[in-house]
Amino acid sequence: MNKILVIAEHNGTDINGSTNKCVTCADNIPESEIDVVVFSQKGAALASQAAKIDGVNKVIIIDSDFNEHNLAAIIAPQIVCVAEDYSHIFGPSTTFGKDLMPRVAALMNTNQISDIMGVMNARSFRRPTYAGNAILTVEVIESEKIIATIRTASFAAAGNDNNADIDNVTLDIQLPDHTKFISLQSGKSDRPDLQTAKKVVSGGRALASEENFKIIYDLADSLGAGAGASRAAVDAGYVPNEMQVGQTGKIIAPDLYIAIGISGAIQHLTGIKDAGTIVAINKDEDAPIFEVADIGLVGDLFKVIPELQAALEK
Amino acid sequence: MGKIIVGLKRVIDYNVRVRVRPDGSGVETDGVKMSINPFDEIALEEALRIKEQGNADEVIVLSIGASESQQQLRTGLAMGADRAILVETSTNLDPLSITKVFQKIITQENPNLVILGKQAIDNDNNQTGQMLAALLEWPQATFASKISFSDGKAQVTREVDTGLETIEVTMPAIITADLRLNEPRYVKLPDIMKAKKKPLEIIAFEEFGITPKNTINILNTEPPEQRQKGIMVDNVTALIEELENKGLV
């Protein structure tokens, strides 16, 4: 029996879809029993949400004022307290999980697998290296706990029709006070979250200004899509960092990805290669993005996008 | 004031098209251009700026790896680091063992701050900073895009999925650098000459008495599945028709 503990990601109000994806990955492991742990401050509603995730055996909720913000230095030692009975401990390969899981592994004196993209068996997994240019198959030796982050773009989200038991747990543990949350500056947007959106429209450097990005947002809105960007567009200050798609930004797998004015650097392609259909619109017919696009259109985005927008709104 | 330690990893250059060896034993490294991991270069640039602003008095660059890593350390010295340490080993150490070497050096050197790149662009692990903070029981501020200091503490803005998060950590601390933290300086020829005279200490990995903990074995390395090139359309009408056929609009 493989006992798997999934660390829930949340924003204090909602469980993040990355948690459902970790559960799917865990479910791919044969003979597994999956528990989810929620670290929260007054998180009863979060625990109820987590208990709905299909495939979950039990939800453990650890409520404490210490857990108001998702600080790795605070959560990691608490995970160690509840880890003993588990063979696998999974967190999402989001900034939350990447910050947290290596700290957990080191506290337990073991190594960690980053970005699991496929399950071979209970101890063997596939993961990308070199910006996705070399895929490793790795195996964790017997006797060692398996601590890993899960590449969320590689797994579908588990459904929400379950009704798992919820266990309230209180830990008697001294937690450090060296780290203090100050603020979170977040671009307010009603658009779908990039990492779970079915459709995503992204813009690149060719948009040439923050103002011009409005045509990307408008197109995204008429498609009900999330809005993303290339690193070049973020570096140029046209859009905030949380919109960056690629190796060091978000790795996404929407059904439809529309890349507008994005040349297609390998680091960007790494972030979208699991997309269902990739559409590329670029005025440079030699842009590398066309090598991976399912549908390509060579043209001036400032002419093509308004035309596309008008046609979609008909 | 105090020391800053920066980790420098020798990796295949950012611009090289990486090729997997046909026998699945890894990636081709023969005759391939090697450089400082770009995130580590950003980490070093930040350390140098912190020193230049009077918030540190020594910057030490540390590499753990093969003898050839001296090249990257010399580049680090040319950028402006004061001295370098190479912990030499010909084996590919696991991240936890690398972290334990860092821990030992840090215990000897007693720095006020350690800045690492958030990940190395070869194995893309994104682990060492977090592991090091755990072993030292220090605070960590990963994915940093801005660092400032007041009241003996560091205020660090982090690039997270939801935006920009700012946290405050006591010192000493571990910070890992993200892309937008700064733009590293170019090395000038006179600095390269000067760097040759700066101290570079080489210590054998074996001297640390750390037994490598190879808990994860690599069974195979293969190239990724390639996406097939699709079709080109001539105009918006044809594009919409294709999308409608796929049920996407």
Side-chain angles (χ1 to χ4, degrees), chain B residues 37-85:
Chain B
N37 174 42
F39 290 99
D40 299 349
E41 213 177 334
I42 295 170
L44 174 55
E45 174 65 34
E46 194 67 16
L48 296 172
R49 291 184 191 189
I50 290 168
K51 184 187 162 191
E52 286 157 6
Q53 287 153 9
N55 286 316
D57 41 36
E58 188 180 27
V59 174
I60 304 166
V61 283
L62 168 63
S63 194
I64 301 162
S67 175
E68 291 82 0
S69 300
Q70 287 179 66
Q71 292 164 15
Q72 280 65 44
L73 288 171
R74 286 287 170 207
T75 306
L77 292 170
M79 276 178 74
D82 297 290
R83 61 188 168 98
I85 303 170

Side-chain angles (χ1 to χ4, degrees), chain A residues 9 11 69-73 93-96 98-100 102-115 124 126-141 144 147 177-187 193 195 199 223 231 234-235 241-242 244 247-250 255-256 258 266-267 272-279 281 285 290-298 303-305 307-308 311-312, chain B residues 11-12 14-20 26-27 29 39 42 94-97 99-100 118-143 145 153 155-172 178-180 213-240 242-243 246-249:
Chain A
E9 176 171 10
N11 60 4
H69 304 290
N70 292 312
L71 298 171
S93 205
T94 55
T95 51
F96 163 75
K98 288 178 185 174
D99 187 39
L100 175 63
R103 189 155 183 138
V104 174
L107 289 177
M108 300 179 78
N109 194 33
T110 194
N111 277 297
Q112 185 233 293
I113 305 177
S114 296
D115 306 316
S124 176
R126 284 159 55 81
R127 65 168 299 256
T129 58
Y130 292 94
N133 284 307
I135 309 298
L136 304 187
T137 304
V138 298
E139 184 180 56
V140 181
I141 59 170
E144 216 54 34
I147 301 178
D177 57 2
H178 50 47
T179 305
K180 199 169 95 189
F181 172 87
I182 305 285
S183 65
L184 175 66
Q185 182 194 332
S186 224
D193 174 54
Q195 275 156 314
K199 297 174 187 173
L223 285 164
R231 178 190 164 191
V234 179
D235 283 355
N241 69 291
E242 62 263 33
Q244 184 175 327
Q247 182 189 15
T248 60
K250 286 178 179 148
D255 296 337
L256 173 62
I258 306 183
I266 183 85
Q267 290 78 12
I272 59 168
K273 62 189 200 180
D274 295 303
T277 297
I278 296 176
V279 174
I281 298 169
E285 62 185 289
F290 288 123
E291 294 303 312
V292 300
D294 298 283
I295 310 170
L297 175 57
V298 177
K303 283 189 191 136
V304 172
I305 303 310
E307 206 182 316
L308 180 57
L312 285 169
Chain B
V11 297
I12 292 181
Y14 185 77
N15 291 309
V16 170
R17 196 173 196 98
V18 171
R19 283 202 311 272
V20 174
V27 304
T29 50
F39 290 99
I42 295 170
D94 60 289
L96 187 65
S97 302
T99 304
K100 287 177 178 174
K118 77 164 178 178
Q119 72 191 71
I121 61 163
D122 51 4
N123 58 31
D124 281 334
N125 267 330
N126 196 330
Q127 297 176 358
T128 307
Q130 297 88 312
M131 287 186 154
L132 187 54
L135 296 187
L136 291 163
E137 297 181 32
W138 286 10
Q140 70 187 46
T142 53
F143 326 142
S145 66
K153 294 175 183 161
Q155 296 77 34
V156 182
T157 300
R158 310 176 53 232
E159 295 212 2
V160 296
D161 290 338
T162 42
L164 295 170
E165 181 192 73
T166 303
I167 61 172
E168 183 174 78
V169 294
T170 57
M171 311 275 267
D178 214 321
L179 284 173
R180 280 175 282 271
K213 200 167 157 69
N214 296 315
T215 55
I216 301 175
N217 296 317
I218 298 172
L219 305 182
N220 186 40
T221 305
E222 61 194 309
E225 276 177 40
Q226 297 297 335
R227 283 187 81 101
Q228 296 303 312
K229 187 177 162 78
I231 56 158
M232 298 299 289
V233 294
D234 291 330
N235 52 49
V236 167
T237 312
L239 171 59
I240 290 188
E242 290 295 331
L243 291 175
K246 289 173 180 272
L248 290 167
V249 294

Side-chain angles (χ1 to χ4, degrees), chain B residues 64-121:
Chain B
I64 301 162
S67 175
E68 291 82 0
S69 300
Q70 287 179 66
Q71 292 164 15
Q72 280 65 44
L73 288 171
R74 286 287 170 207
T75 306
L77 292 170
M79 276 178 74
D82 297 290
R83 61 188 168 98
I85 303 170
L86 170 64
V87 176
E88 193 175 329
T89 171
S90 53
T91 50
N92 249 335
L93 292 174
D94 60 289
L96 187 65
S97 302
I98 298 268
T99 304
K100 287 177 178 174
V101 175
F102 265 98
Q103 185 187 14
K104 294 226 171 187
I105 299 273
I106 287 165
T107 309
Q108 286 164 17
E109 296 283 351
N110 206 17
N112 207 18
L113 192 61
V114 175
I115 313 182
L116 307 178
K118 77 164 178 178
Q119 72 191 71
I121 61 163

Side-chain angles (χ1 to χ4, degrees), chain A residues 39-254:
Chain A
F39 295 93
S40 57
Q41 183 198 42
K42 301 193 181 76
L46 293 168
S48 304
Q49 275 185 42
K52 290 203 172 89
I53 302 174
D54 294 343
V56 173
N57 166 62
K58 180 178 78 180
V59 172
I60 300 165
I61 171 165
I62 298 168
D63 244 351
S64 155
D65 287 343
F66 280 102
N67 294 334
E68 183 182 0
H69 304 290
N70 292 312
L71 298 171
I74 302 290
I75 300 176
Q78 299 180 70
I79 293 175
V80 175
C81 285
V82 294
E84 194 176 351
D85 292 341
Y86 295 93
S87 53
H88 300 61
I89 304 171
F90 286 176
S93 205
T94 55
T95 51
F96 163 75
K98 288 178 185 174
D99 187 39
L100 175 63
M101 300 310 286
R103 189 155 183 138
V104 174
L107 289 177
M108 300 179 78
N109 194 33
T110 194
N111 277 297
Q112 185 233 293
I113 305 177
S114 296
D115 306 316
I116 287 180
M117 59 186 284
V119 175
M120 306 300 282
N121 60 51
R123 308 201 72 80
S124 176
F125 307 90
R126 284 159 55 81
R127 65 168 299 256
T129 58
Y130 292 94
N133 284 307
I135 309 298
L136 304 187
T137 304
V138 298
E139 184 180 56
V140 181
I141 59 170
E142 289 295 329
S143 81
E144 216 54 34
K145 268 193 208 300
I146 296 170
I147 301 178
T149 58
I150 310 304
R151 185 178 181 274
T152 51
S154 299
F155 299 91
N160 290 301
D161 293 312
N162 194 5
N163 185 19
D165 290 340
I166 297 173
D167 253 11
N168 273 279
V169 172
T170 308
L171 300 176
D172 183 17
I173 178 179
Q174 193 77 32
L175 292 168
D177 57 2
H178 50 47
T179 305
K180 199 169 95 189
F181 172 87
I182 305 285
S183 65
L184 175 66
Q185 182 194 332
S186 224
K188 288 276 167 280
S189 157
D190 297 331
R191 288 180 201 99
D193 174 54
L194 261 186
Q195 275 156 314
T196 49
K198 298 272 183 223
K199 297 174 187 173
V200 171
V201 179
S202 280
R205 199 201 311 259
L207 269 296
S209 76
E210 188 180 346
E211 295 70 39
N212 289 345
F213 246 82
K214 183 171 183 302
I215 63 173
I216 299 293
Y217 299 132
D218 288 346
L219 181 62
D221 291 344
S222 51
L223 285 164
S230 68
R231 178 190 164 191
V234 179
D235 283 355
Y238 304 159
V239 295
N241 69 291
E242 62 263 33
M243 281 175 62
Q244 184 175 327
V245 172
Q247 182 189 15
T248 60
K250 286 178 179 148
I251 312 279
I252 60 173

